[in-house]
Amino acid sequence: MSEAIKNKYDFVVLFDVENGNPNGDPDAGNMPRIDPESGYGLVTDVCLKRKIRNYVEMVKEDATGYRIYIKENVPLNASDKEAYDSLGIEPGQIKAMKKDDPELDKKVRDFMCGNFYDIRTFGAVMTTFVKDNLNCGQVRGPVQIGFARSVDPIIPQEITITRVAITTKDDAERKNTEMGRKYIVPYGLYRAEGYVSANLARKVTGFSEDDLELLWQSILNMFENDHSAARGKMAVRKLIIFRHDSELGNAPSHKLFDDVKVVKKDGVDVPRSFEDYNLTLPSELPKGVTCICRD
């Protein structure tokens, strides 16, 4: 595995949805998430990171160093115990062993970072004080992604559907179809912003150049193998990356983000495609910052 990255990065992701539900809200009957004050649509950071994890798991297929820590049907304790087993530690002995080896916590953490891509990338809380009292510590990951918000307010629609599959035998004797509901956003363009800290990569997780390229690939393709009828047509339209020449950055992130502008084209009242928007990138960049646009 290559050495940790040396440059700070900031990035903007533009993705859209057509006739689908990009991120249902369980507190609102699984309707598309929305800011009730402004009407703008929301997609949580957890949802986006799940897509990235799924893509990495699909591409790498549990290859050494690229396993996924937070995944379906795998208890966290089972993964935590692997670190203990690799170092020959019994769960109840770690406190006593720390007296002889002050670096023990770091060794456990390094095992987890080295074996699980999502820990190396996003970090994790690996303290599960249940039954075996396993504690692999906490890791703050170098890659952080915020909530995505729609560029314009959205108007979720509730679509009534019918089906011929009847639930029970008694119902089948009384009717031929059943009614259901489906929530969609006719069209919405969403924007998410993120950060990659070279400082945390070097000091904590070892997030490398290879890991970084896999991250970009995962973001660009995070919807390509995740299609479903409920989510409609979703696609990443643009990935705008700001590369700093230094570890700590050459310009404030928010100023770079402010210079990425997405506005409706003249004459467009209700956007229905990505082509209904104009994307403007900064014409001048601060010294030591490079802009890369990928799609």
Side-chain angles (χ1 to χ4, degrees):
M1 191 173 294
S2 58
E3 62 181 2
I5 59 172
K6 294 182 171 64
N7 304 88
K8 180 180 184 289
Y9 293 85
D10 302 301
F11 61 92
V12 177
V13 186
L14 297 175
F15 64 90
D16 59 5
V17 58
E18 182 180 326
N19 295 328
N21 185 351
N23 186 202
D25 185 350
D27 289 329
N30 208 44
M31 287 185 64
R33 294 183 188 272
I34 192 169
D35 180 343
E37 292 185 340
S38 66
Y40 286 92
L42 300 173
V43 174
T44 66
D45 60 320
V46 175
C47 175
L48 297 176
K49 288 189 284 189
R50 179 75 270 153
K51 311 299 183 192
I52 293 171
R53 286 185 172 99
N54 289 346
Y55 180 82
V56 172
E57 184 176 16
M58 180 190 65
V59 170
K60 292 298 184 179
E61 296 185 341
D62 285 337
T64 302
Y66 291 95
R67 295 169 59 200
I68 297 299
Y69 179 65
I70 300 177
K71 61 188 295 185
E72 188 177 1
N73 297 325
V74 178
L76 299 180
N77 259 3
S79 299
D80 293 339
K81 194 172 186 303
E82 290 184 31
Y84 280 60
D85 291 342
S86 71
L87 298 171
I89 305 171
E90 292 295 328
Q93 297 177 345
I94 190 165
K95 287 186 178 179
M97 294 180 70
K98 283 182 184 178
K99 296 179 181 178
D100 299 324
D101 187 358
E103 295 290 311
L104 194 57
D105 282 340
K106 183 179 183 303
K107 291 177 181 178
V108 171
R109 185 195 70 192
D110 288 348
F111 175 89
M112 299 300 285
C113 289
N115 282 272
F116 296 95
Y117 176 83
D118 54 337
I119 295 177
R120 200 162 61 247
T121 304
F122 303 122
V125 177
M126 302 171 287
T127 306
T128 52
F129 290 116
V130 292
K131 192 177 179 180
D132 293 329
N133 204 29
L134 297 172
N135 180 7
C136 293
Q138 299 182 24
V139 172
R140 183 182 174 192
V143 179
Q144 300 298 327
I145 303 175
F147 274 37
R149 193 183 79 158
S150 62
V151 174
D152 289 302
I154 63 170
I155 303 177
Q157 293 185 6
E158 182 180 18
I159 307 296
T160 302
I161 58 176
T162 60
R163 69 180 187 185
V164 297
I166 309 302
T167 304
T168 67
K169 184 177 181 180
D170 290 340
D171 286 344
E173 294 174 354
R174 294 184 295 104
K175 56 186 179 181
N176 295 322
T177 61
E178 286 191 344
M179 308 296 288
R181 290 181 175 84
K182 190 172 186 177
Y183 299 105
I184 66 166
V185 176
Y187 181 79
L189 178 63
Y190 288 75
R191 170 177 174 153
E193 297 168 352
Y195 318 84
V196 183
S197 169
N199 187 259
L200 285 174
R202 175 176 60 84
K203 290 182 176 180
V204 183
T205 73
F207 184 79
S208 68
E209 293 290 345
D210 291 340
D211 294 332
L212 181 68
E213 181 55 34
L214 180 57
L215 174 69
W216 301 144
Q217 292 177 14
S218 301
I219 291 174
L220 287 168
N221 294 285
M222 60 183 172
F223 301 119
E224 282 305 300
N225 293 278
D226 190 61
H227 296 298
S228 74
R231 281 187 284 277
K233 178 183 175 183
M234 295 190 69
V236 173
R237 296 296 182 171
K238 294 290 181 182
L239 171 59
I240 299 106
I241 304 166
F242 293 100
R243 180 185 185 276
H244 300 255
D245 285 348
S246 66
E247 182 180 281
L248 298 180
N250 298 82
S253 302
H254 70 277
K255 292 186 177 180
L256 298 174
F257 293 153
D258 287 346
D259 284 338
V260 177
K261 301 184 185 300
V262 185
V263 296
K264 289 184 293 188
K265 292 180 178 178
D266 293 339
V268 175
D269 293 325
V270 182
R272 282 295 182 264
S273 72
F274 183 65
E275 285 68 32
D276 289 335
Y277 288 93
N278 283 321
L279 169 63
T280 305
L281 300 179
S283 56
E284 294 185 11
L285 290 167
K287 185 178 180 180
V289 178
T290 306
C291 181
I292 305 163
C293 188
R294 299 174 63 171
D295 53 19

mmCIF file with all atom_site columns, all heavy atoms in Angstrom, residues 195-218:
data_model
loop_
_atom_site.group_PDB
_atom_site.id
_atom_site.type_symbol
_atom_site.label_atom_id
_atom_site.label_alt_id
_atom_site.label_comp_id
_atom_site.label_asym_id
_atom_site.label_entity_id
_atom_site.label_seq_id
_atom_site.pdbx_PDB_ins_code
_atom_site.Cartn_x
_atom_site.Cartn_y
_atom_site.Cartn_z
_atom_site.occupancy
_atom_site.B_iso_or_equiv
_atom_site.pdbx_formal_charge
_atom_site.auth_seq_id
_atom_site.auth_comp_id
_atom_site.auth_asym_id
_atom_site.auth_atom_id
_atom_site.pdbx_PDB_model_num
ATOM 1   N N   . TYR A 1 195 ? -14.342 17.040 2.325   1.00 0.00 ? 195 TYR A N   1
ATOM 2   C CA  . TYR A 1 195 ? -12.991 17.449 2.680   1.00 0.00 ? 195 TYR A CA  1
ATOM 3   C C   . TYR A 1 195 ? -12.105 16.213 2.836   1.00 0.00 ? 195 TYR A C   1
ATOM 4   O O   . TYR A 1 195 ? -12.555 15.170 3.310   1.00 0.00 ? 195 TYR A O   1
ATOM 5   C CB  . TYR A 1 195 ? -12.991 18.230 4.001   1.00 0.00 ? 195 TYR A CB  1
ATOM 6   C CG  . TYR A 1 195 ? -14.122 19.217 4.134   1.00 0.00 ? 195 TYR A CG  1
ATOM 7   C CD1 . TYR A 1 195 ? -15.381 18.810 4.580   1.00 0.00 ? 195 TYR A CD1 1
ATOM 8   C CD2 . TYR A 1 195 ? -13.942 20.559 3.816   1.00 0.00 ? 195 TYR A CD2 1
ATOM 9   C CE1 . TYR A 1 195 ? -16.428 19.714 4.688   1.00 0.00 ? 195 TYR A CE1 1
ATOM 10  C CE2 . TYR A 1 195 ? -14.982 21.474 3.935   1.00 0.00 ? 195 TYR A CE2 1
ATOM 11  C CZ  . TYR A 1 195 ? -16.222 21.047 4.369   1.00 0.00 ? 195 TYR A CZ  1
ATOM 12  O OH  . TYR A 1 195 ? -17.262 21.949 4.470   1.00 0.00 ? 195 TYR A OH  1
ATOM 13  N N   . VAL A 1 196 ? -10.852 16.355 2.455   1.00 0.00 ? 196 VAL A N   1
ATOM 14  C CA  . VAL A 1 196 ? -9.870  15.283 2.657   1.00 0.00 ? 196 VAL A CA  1
ATOM 15  C C   . VAL A 1 196 ? -8.661  15.899 3.360   1.00 0.00 ? 196 VAL A C   1
ATOM 16  O O   . VAL A 1 196 ? -7.983  16.766 2.797   1.00 0.00 ? 196 VAL A O   1
ATOM 17  C CB  . VAL A 1 196 ? -9.434  14.643 1.331   1.00 0.00 ? 196 VAL A CB  1
ATOM 18  C CG1 . VAL A 1 196 ? -8.478  13.482 1.597   1.00 0.00 ? 196 VAL A CG1 1
ATOM 19  C CG2 . VAL A 1 196 ? -10.638 14.168 0.529   1.00 0.00 ? 196 VAL A CG2 1
ATOM 20  N N   . SER A 1 197 ? -8.403  15.460 4.580   1.00 0.00 ? 197 SER A N   1
ATOM 21  C CA  . SER A 1 197 ? -7.321  16.010 5.394   1.00 0.00 ? 197 SER A CA  1
ATOM 22  C C   . SER A 1 197 ? -6.056  15.159 5.276   1.00 0.00 ? 197 SER A C   1
ATOM 23  O O   . SER A 1 197 ? -6.035  14.005 5.725   1.00 0.00 ? 197 SER A O   1
ATOM 24  C CB  . SER A 1 197 ? -7.747  16.094 6.865   1.00 0.00 ? 197 SER A CB  1
ATOM 25  O OG  . SER A 1 197 ? -6.647  16.375 7.702   1.00 0.00 ? 197 SER A OG  1
ATOM 26  N N   . ALA A 1 198 ? -5.023  15.725 4.674   1.00 0.00 ? 198 ALA A N   1
ATOM 27  C CA  . ALA A 1 198 ? -3.746  15.010 4.580   1.00 0.00 ? 198 ALA A CA  1
ATOM 28  C C   . ALA A 1 198 ? -3.103  14.889 5.957   1.00 0.00 ? 198 ALA A C   1
ATOM 29  O O   . ALA A 1 198 ? -2.362  13.930 6.223   1.00 0.00 ? 198 ALA A O   1
ATOM 30  C CB  . ALA A 1 198 ? -2.807  15.744 3.621   1.00 0.00 ? 198 ALA A CB  1
ATOM 31  N N   . ASN A 1 199 ? -3.372  15.835 6.826   1.00 0.00 ? 199 ASN A N   1
ATOM 32  C CA  . ASN A 1 199 ? -2.800  15.803 8.168   1.00 0.00 ? 199 ASN A CA  1
ATOM 33  C C   . ASN A 1 199 ? -3.309  14.600 8.956   1.00 0.00 ? 199 ASN A C   1
ATOM 34  O O   . ASN A 1 199 ? -2.525  13.870 9.577   1.00 0.00 ? 199 ASN A O   1
ATOM 35  C CB  . ASN A 1 199 ? -3.126  17.109 8.891   1.00 0.00 ? 199 ASN A CB  1
ATOM 36  C CG  . ASN A 1 199 ? -2.435  17.233 10.231  1.00 0.00 ? 199 ASN A CG  1
ATOM 37  O OD1 . ASN A 1 199 ? -3.038  17.016 11.268  1.00 0.00 ? 199 ASN A OD1 1
ATOM 38  N ND2 . ASN A 1 199 ? -1.158  17.577 10.209  1.00 0.00 ? 199 ASN A ND2 1
ATOM 39  N N   . LEU A 1 200 ? -4.617  14.370 8.922   1.00 0.00 ? 200 LEU A N   1
ATOM 40  C CA  . LEU A 1 200 ? -5.174  13.201 9.609   1.00 0.00 ? 200 LEU A CA  1
ATOM 41  C C   . LEU A 1 200 ? -4.751  11.903 8.934   1.00 0.00 ? 200 LEU A C   1
ATOM 42  O O   . LEU A 1 200 ? -4.537  10.900 9.606   1.00 0.00 ? 200 LEU A O   1
ATOM 43  C CB  . LEU A 1 200 ? -6.701  13.298 9.646   1.00 0.00 ? 200 LEU A CB  1
ATOM 44  C CG  . LEU A 1 200 ? -7.303  14.291 10.644  1.00 0.00 ? 200 LEU A CG  1
ATOM 45  C CD1 . LEU A 1 200 ? -8.810  14.379 10.468  1.00 0.00 ? 200 LEU A CD1 1
ATOM 46  C CD2 . LEU A 1 200 ? -6.967  13.890 12.070  1.00 0.00 ? 200 LEU A CD2 1
ATOM 47  N N   . ALA A 1 201 ? -4.631  11.938 7.616   1.00 0.00 ? 201 ALA A N   1
ATOM 48  C CA  . ALA A 1 201 ? -4.177  10.741 6.898   1.00 0.00 ? 201 ALA A CA  1
ATOM 49  C C   . ALA A 1 201 ? -2.786  10.339 7.355   1.00 0.00 ? 201 ALA A C   1
ATOM 50  O O   . ALA A 1 201 ? -2.501  9.152  7.582   1.00 0.00 ? 201 ALA A O   1
ATOM 51  C CB  . ALA A 1 201 ? -4.198  11.000 5.391   1.00 0.00 ? 201 ALA A CB  1
ATOM 52  N N   . ARG A 1 202 ? -1.897  11.311 7.496   1.00 0.00 ? 202 ARG A N   1
ATOM 53  C CA  . ARG A 1 202 ? -0.508  11.021 7.895   1.00 0.00 ? 202 ARG A CA  1
ATOM 54  C C   . ARG A 1 202 ? -0.420  10.613 9.358   1.00 0.00 ? 202 ARG A C   1
ATOM 55  O O   . ARG A 1 202 ? 0.281   9.663  9.714   1.00 0.00 ? 202 ARG A O   1
ATOM 56  C CB  . ARG A 1 202 ? 0.373   12.249 7.642   1.00 0.00 ? 202 ARG A CB  1
ATOM 57  C CG  . ARG A 1 202 ? 1.814   12.099 8.139   1.00 0.00 ? 202 ARG A CG  1
ATOM 58  C CD  . ARG A 1 202 ? 2.646   13.302 7.771   1.00 0.00 ? 202 ARG A CD  1
ATOM 59  N NE  . ARG A 1 202 ? 2.142   14.532 8.341   1.00 0.00 ? 202 ARG A NE  1
ATOM 60  C CZ  . ARG A 1 202 ? 2.434   14.951 9.592   1.00 0.00 ? 202 ARG A CZ  1
ATOM 61  N NH1 . ARG A 1 202 ? 3.185   14.215 10.379  1.00 0.00 ? 202 ARG A NH1 1
ATOM 62  N NH2 . ARG A 1 202 ? 1.955   16.103 10.037  1.00 0.00 ? 202 ARG A NH2 1
ATOM 63  N N   . LYS A 1 203 ? -1.141  11.300 10.218  1.00 0.00 ? 203 LYS A N   1
ATOM 64  C CA  . LYS A 1 203 ? -1.000  11.081 11.660  1.00 0.00 ? 203 LYS A CA  1
ATOM 65  C C   . LYS A 1 203 ? -1.815  9.918  12.192  1.00 0.00 ? 203 LYS A C   1
ATOM 66  O O   . LYS A 1 203 ? -1.449  9.304  13.195  1.00 0.00 ? 203 LYS A O   1
ATOM 67  C CB  . LYS A 1 203 ? -1.404  12.349 12.422  1.00 0.00 ? 203 LYS A CB  1
ATOM 68  C CG  . LYS A 1 203 ? -0.443  13.510 12.267  1.00 0.00 ? 203 LYS A CG  1
ATOM 69  C CD  . LYS A 1 203 ? -0.917  14.691 13.110  1.00 0.00 ? 203 LYS A CD  1
ATOM 70  C CE  . LYS A 1 203 ? 0.063   15.852 13.062  1.00 0.00 ? 203 LYS A CE  1
ATOM 71  N NZ  . LYS A 1 203 ? -0.399  17.005 13.879  1.00 0.00 ? 203 LYS A NZ  1
ATOM 72  N N   . VAL A 1 204 ? -2.937  9.607  11.527  1.00 0.00 ? 204 VAL A N   1
ATOM 73  C CA  . VAL A 1 204 ? -3.877  8.669  12.136  1.00 0.00 ? 204 VAL A CA  1
ATOM 74  C C   . VAL A 1 204 ? -4.101  7.405  11.306  1.00 0.00 ? 204 VAL A C   1
ATOM 75  O O   . VAL A 1 204 ? -3.792  6.303  11.752  1.00 0.00 ? 204 VAL A O   1
ATOM 76  C CB  . VAL A 1 204 ? -5.235  9.359  12.421  1.00 0.00 ? 204 VAL A CB  1
ATOM 77  C CG1 . VAL A 1 204 ? -6.189  8.376  13.119  1.00 0.00 ? 204 VAL A CG1 1
ATOM 78  C CG2 . VAL A 1 204 ? -5.043  10.610 13.266  1.00 0.00 ? 204 VAL A CG2 1
ATOM 79  N N   . THR A 1 205 ? -4.635  7.541  10.093  1.00 0.00 ? 205 THR A N   1
ATOM 80  C CA  . THR A 1 205 ? -5.146  6.343  9.412   1.00 0.00 ? 205 THR A CA  1
ATOM 81  C C   . THR A 1 205 ? -4.270  5.808  8.290   1.00 0.00 ? 205 THR A C   1
ATOM 82  O O   . THR A 1 205 ? -4.455  4.670  7.863   1.00 0.00 ? 205 THR A O   1
ATOM 83  C CB  . THR A 1 205 ? -6.552  6.602  8.829   1.00 0.00 ? 205 THR A CB  1
ATOM 84  O OG1 . THR A 1 205 ? -6.448  7.460  7.687   1.00 0.00 ? 205 THR A OG1 1
ATOM 85  C CG2 . THR A 1 205 ? -7.469  7.229  9.863   1.00 0.00 ? 205 THR A CG2 1
ATOM 86  N N   . GLY A 1 206 ? -3.364  6.626  7.734   1.00 0.00 ? 206 GLY A N   1
ATOM 87  C CA  . GLY A 1 206 ? -2.554  6.157  6.617   1.00 0.00 ? 206 GLY A CA  1
ATOM 88  C C   . GLY A 1 206 ? -3.283  6.162  5.291   1.00 0.00 ? 206 GLY A C   1
ATOM 89  O O   . GLY A 1 206 ? -2.887  5.462  4.348   1.00 0.00 ? 206 GLY A O   1
ATOM 90  N N   . PHE A 1 207 ? -4.357  6.936  5.173   1.00 0.00 ? 207 PHE A N   1
ATOM 91  C CA  . PHE A 1 207 ? -5.118  7.056  3.924   1.00 0.00 ? 207 PHE A CA  1
ATOM 92  C C   . PHE A 1 207 ? -4.164  7.461  2.799   1.00 0.00 ? 207 PHE A C   1
ATOM 93  O O   . PHE A 1 207 ? -3.502  8.489  2.865   1.00 0.00 ? 207 PHE A O   1
ATOM 94  C CB  . PHE A 1 207 ? -6.219  8.095  4.103   1.00 0.00 ? 207 PHE A CB  1
ATOM 95  C CG  . PHE A 1 207 ? -7.143  8.257  2.934   1.00 0.00 ? 207 PHE A CG  1
ATOM 96  C CD1 . PHE A 1 207 ? -8.160  7.351  2.710   1.00 0.00 ? 207 PHE A CD1 1
ATOM 97  C CD2 . PHE A 1 207 ? -6.999  9.335  2.070   1.00 0.00 ? 207 PHE A CD2 1
ATOM 98  C CE1 . PHE A 1 207 ? -9.038  7.517  1.638   1.00 0.00 ? 207 PHE A CE1 1
ATOM 99  C CE2 . PHE A 1 207 ? -7.860  9.507  0.998   1.00 0.00 ? 207 PHE A CE2 1
ATOM 100 C CZ  . PHE A 1 207 ? -8.877  8.597  0.780   1.00 0.00 ? 207 PHE A CZ  1
ATOM 101 N N   . SER A 1 208 ? -4.093  6.638  1.749   1.00 0.00 ? 208 SER A N   1
ATOM 102 C CA  . SER A 1 208 ? -3.032  6.760  0.753   1.00 0.00 ? 208 SER A CA  1
ATOM 103 C C   . SER A 1 208 ? -3.529  7.329  -0.580  1.00 0.00 ? 208 SER A C   1
ATOM 104 O O   . SER A 1 208 ? -4.727  7.542  -0.788  1.00 0.00 ? 208 SER A O   1
ATOM 105 C CB  . SER A 1 208 ? -2.403  5.386  0.504   1.00 0.00 ? 208 SER A CB  1
ATOM 106 O OG  . SER A 1 208 ? -3.343  4.534  -0.140  1.00 0.00 ? 208 SER A OG  1
ATOM 107 N N   . GLU A 1 209 ? -2.579  7.522  -1.500  1.00 0.00 ? 209 GLU A N   1
ATOM 108 C CA  . GLU A 1 209 ? -2.927  7.983  -2.849  1.00 0.00 ? 209 GLU A CA  1
ATOM 109 C C   . GLU A 1 209 ? -3.808  6.957  -3.553  1.00 0.00 ? 209 GLU A C   1
ATOM 110 O O   . GLU A 1 209 ? -4.736  7.327  -4.289  1.00 0.00 ? 209 GLU A O   1
ATOM 111 C CB  . GLU A 1 209 ? -1.653  8.244  -3.663  1.00 0.00 ? 209 GLU A CB  1
ATOM 112 C CG  . GLU A 1 209 ? -0.802  9.400  -3.166  1.00 0.00 ? 209 GLU A CG  1
ATOM 113 C CD  . GLU A 1 209 ? -1.453  10.755 -3.402  1.00 0.00 ? 209 GLU A CD  1
ATOM 114 O OE1 . GLU A 1 209 ? -2.420  10.822 -4.200  1.00 0.00 ? 209 GLU A OE1 1
ATOM 115 O OE2 . GLU A 1 209 ? -1.009  11.750 -2.788  1.00 0.00 ? 209 GLU A OE2 1
ATOM 116 N N   . ASP A 1 210 ? -3.526  5.678  -3.366  1.00 0.00 ? 210 ASP A N   1
ATOM 117 C CA  . ASP A 1 210 ? -4.381  4.638  -3.946  1.00 0.00 ? 210 ASP A CA  1
ATOM 118 C C   . ASP A 1 210 ? -5.791  4.705  -3.361  1.00 0.00 ? 210 ASP A C   1
ATOM 119 O O   . ASP A 1 210 ? -6.785  4.544  -4.081  1.00 0.00 ? 210 ASP A O   1
ATOM 120 C CB  . ASP A 1 210 ? -3.788  3.247  -3.682  1.00 0.00 ? 210 ASP A CB  1
ATOM 121 C CG  . ASP A 1 210 ? -2.500  3.020  -4.455  1.00 0.00 ? 210 ASP A CG  1
ATOM 122 O OD1 . ASP A 1 210 ? -2.261  3.743  -5.446  1.00 0.00 ? 210 ASP A OD1 1
ATOM 123 O OD2 . ASP A 1 210 ? -1.728  2.120  -4.061  1.00 0.00 ? 210 ASP A OD2 1
ATOM 124 N N   . ASP A 1 211 ? -5.866  4.934  -2.051  1.00 0.00 ? 211 ASP A N   1
ATOM 125 C CA  . ASP A 1 211 ? -7.172  5.076  -1.404  1.00 0.00 ? 211 ASP A CA  1
ATOM 126 C C   . ASP A 1 211 ? -7.920  6.284  -1.949  1.00 0.00 ? 211 ASP A C   1
ATOM 127 O O   . ASP A 1 211 ? -9.137  6.241  -2.145  1.00 0.00 ? 211 ASP A O   1
ATOM 128 C CB  . ASP A 1 211 ? -7.003  5.237  0.111   1.00 0.00 ? 211 ASP A CB  1
ATOM 129 C CG  . ASP A 1 211 ? -6.447  3.998  0.783   1.00 0.00 ? 211 ASP A CG  1
ATOM 130 O OD1 . ASP A 1 211 ? -6.679  2.887  0.266   1.00 0.00 ? 211 ASP A OD1 1
ATOM 131 O OD2 . ASP A 1 211 ? -5.778  4.140  1.827   1.00 0.00 ? 211 ASP A OD2 1
ATOM 132 N N   . LEU A 1 212 ? -7.200  7.360  -2.191  1.00 0.00 ? 212 LEU A N   1
ATOM 133 C CA  . LEU A 1 212 ? -7.818  8.581  -2.697  1.00 0.00 ? 212 LEU A CA  1
ATOM 134 C C   . LEU A 1 212 ? -8.408  8.367  -4.084  1.00 0.00 ? 212 LEU A C   1
ATOM 135 O O   . LEU A 1 212 ? -9.543  8.768  -4.360  1.00 0.00 ? 212 LEU A O   1
ATOM 136 C CB  . LEU A 1 212 ? -6.788  9.712  -2.730  1.00 0.00 ? 212 LEU A CB  1
ATOM 137 C CG  . LEU A 1 212 ? -7.297  11.068 -3.220  1.00 0.00 ? 212 LEU A CG  1
ATOM 138 C CD1 . LEU A 1 212 ? -8.287  11.665 -2.230  1.00 0.00 ? 212 LEU A CD1 1
ATOM 139 C CD2 . LEU A 1 212 ? -6.117  12.037 -3.431  1.00 0.00 ? 212 LEU A CD2 1
ATOM 140 N N   . GLU A 1 213 ? -7.663  7.719  -4.963  1.00 0.00 ? 213 GLU A N   1
ATOM 141 C CA  . GLU A 1 213 ? -8.175  7.468  -6.307  1.00 0.00 ? 213 GLU A CA  1
ATOM 142 C C   . GLU A 1 213 ? -9.397  6.559  -6.259  1.00 0.00 ? 213 GLU A C   1
ATOM 143 O O   . GLU A 1 213 ? -10.358 6.745  -7.008  1.00 0.00 ? 213 GLU A O   1
ATOM 144 C CB  . GLU A 1 213 ? -7.078  6.835  -7.170  1.00 0.00 ? 213 GLU A CB  1
ATOM 145 C CG  . GLU A 1 213 ? -7.507  6.559  -8.611  1.00 0.00 ? 213 GLU A CG  1
ATOM 146 C CD  . GLU A 1 213 ? -8.054  7.785  -9.329  1.00 0.00 ? 213 GLU A CD  1
ATOM 147 O OE1 . GLU A 1 213 ? -7.563  8.913  -9.065  1.00 0.00 ? 213 GLU A OE1 1
ATOM 148 O OE2 . GLU A 1 213 ? -8.980  7.618  -10.149 1.00 0.00 ? 213 GLU A OE2 1
ATOM 149 N N   . LEU A 1 214 ? -9.382  5.584  -5.345  1.00 0.00 ? 214 LEU A N   1
ATOM 150 C CA  . LEU A 1 214 ? -10.542 4.716  -5.185  1.00 0.00 ? 214 LEU A CA  1
ATOM 151 C C   . LEU A 1 214 ? -11.737 5.520  -4.672  1.00 0.00 ? 214 LEU A C   1
ATOM 152 O O   . LEU A 1 214 ? -12.882 5.260  -5.076  1.00 0.00 ? 214 LEU A O   1
ATOM 153 C CB  . LEU A 1 214 ? -10.212 3.575  -4.219  1.00 0.00 ? 214 LEU A CB  1
ATOM 154 C CG  . LEU A 1 214 ? -11.347 2.571  -3.934  1.00 0.00 ? 214 LEU A CG  1
ATOM 155 C CD1 . LEU A 1 214 ? -11.856 1.936  -5.225  1.00 0.00 ? 214 LEU A CD1 1
ATOM 156 C CD2 . LEU A 1 214 ? -10.864 1.493  -2.955  1.00 0.00 ? 214 LEU A CD2 1
ATOM 157 N N   . LEU A 1 215 ? -11.488 6.497  -3.813  1.00 0.00 ? 215 LEU A N   1
ATOM 158 C CA  . LEU A 1 215 ? -12.566 7.362  -3.328  1.00 0.00 ? 215 LEU A CA  1
ATOM 159 C C   . LEU A 1 215 ? -13.212 8.120  -4.477  1.00 0.00 ? 215 LEU A C   1
ATOM 160 O O   . LEU A 1 215 ? -14.440 8.168  -4.599  1.00 0.00 ? 215 LEU A O   1
ATOM 161 C CB  . LEU A 1 215 ? -12.031 8.344  -2.290  1.00 0.00 ? 215 LEU A CB  1
ATOM 162 C CG  . LEU A 1 215 ? -13.033 9.410  -1.806  1.00 0.00 ? 215 LEU A CG  1
ATOM 163 C CD1 . LEU A 1 215 ? -14.140 8.772  -0.975  1.00 0.00 ? 215 LEU A CD1 1
ATOM 164 C CD2 . LEU A 1 215 ? -12.318 10.501 -1.012  1.00 0.00 ? 215 LEU A CD2 1
ATOM 165 N N   . TRP A 1 216 ? -12.392 8.719  -5.352  1.00 0.00 ? 216 TRP A N   1
ATOM 166 C CA  . TRP A 1 216 ? -12.954 9.465  -6.493  1.00 0.00 ? 216 TRP A CA  1
ATOM 167 C C   . TRP A 1 216 ? -13.762 8.537  -7.389  1.00 0.00 ? 216 TRP A C   1
ATOM 168 O O   . TRP A 1 216 ? -14.857 8.887  -7.837  1.00 0.00 ? 216 TRP A O   1
ATOM 169 C CB  . TRP A 1 216 ? -11.841 10.137 -7.299  1.00 0.00 ? 216 TRP A CB  1
ATOM 170 C CG  . TRP A 1 216 ? -10.959 11.115 -6.586  1.00 0.00 ? 216 TRP A CG  1
ATOM 171 C CD1 . TRP A 1 216 ? -9.623  11.296 -6.805  1.00 0.00 ? 216 TRP A CD1 1
ATOM 172 C CD2 . TRP A 1 216 ? -11.312 12.081 -5.571  1.00 0.00 ? 216 TRP A CD2 1
ATOM 173 N NE1 . TRP A 1 216 ? -9.119  12.292 -5.996  1.00 0.00 ? 216 TRP A NE1 1
ATOM 174 C CE2 . TRP A 1 216 ? -10.143 12.795 -5.230  1.00 0.00 ? 216 TRP A CE2 1
ATOM 175 C CE3 . TRP A 1 216 ? -12.498 12.397 -4.919  1.00 0.00 ? 216 TRP A CE3 1
ATOM 176 C CZ2 . TRP A 1 216 ? -10.124 13.801 -4.272  1.00 0.00 ? 216 TRP A CZ2 1
ATOM 177 C CZ3 . TRP A 1 216 ? -12.494 13.396 -3.951  1.00 0.00 ? 216 TRP A CZ3 1
ATOM 178 C CH2 . TRP A 1 216 ? -11.327 14.086 -3.639  1.00 0.00 ? 216 TRP A CH2 1
ATOM 179 N N   . GLN A 1 217 ? -13.234 7.350  -7.656  1.00 0.00 ? 217 GLN A N   1
ATOM 180 C CA  . GLN A 1 217 ? -13.959 6.384  -8.485  1.00 0.00 ? 217 GLN A CA  1
ATOM 181 C C   . GLN A 1 217 ? -15.292 6.002  -7.837  1.00 0.00 ? 217 GLN A C   1
ATOM 182 O O   . GLN A 1 217 ? -16.315 5.870  -8.517  1.00 0.00 ? 217 GLN A O   1
ATOM 183 C CB  . GLN A 1 217 ? -13.112 5.133  -8.709  1.00 0.00 ? 217 GLN A CB  1
ATOM 184 C CG  . GLN A 1 217 ? -11.881 5.337  -9.573  1.00 0.00 ? 217 GLN A CG  1
ATOM 185 C CD  . GLN A 1 217 ? -11.066 4.066  -9.693  1.00 0.00 ? 217 GLN A CD  1
ATOM 186 O OE1 . GLN A 1 217 ? -11.534 2.979  -9.358  1.00 0.00 ? 217 GLN A OE1 1
ATOM 187 N NE2 . GLN A 1 217 ? -9.833  4.193  -10.165 1.00 0.00 ? 217 GLN A NE2 1
ATOM 188 N N   . SER A 1 218 ? -15.259 5.820  -6.518  1.00 0.00 ? 218 SER A N   1
ATOM 189 C CA  . SER A 1 218 ? -16.465 5.413  -5.794  1.00 0.00 ? 218 SER A CA  1
ATOM 190 C C   . SER A 1 218 ? -17.525 6.501  -5.841  1.00 0.00 ? 218 SER A C   1
ATOM 191 O O   . SER A 1 218 ? -18.715 6.211  -6.006  1.00 0.00 ? 218 SER A O   1
ATOM 192 C CB  . SER A 1 218 ? -16.113 5.090  -4.337  1.00 0.00 ? 218 SER A CB  1
ATOM 193 O OG  . SER A 1 218 ? -15.152 4.060  -4.262  1.00 0.00 ? 218 SER A OG  1
#
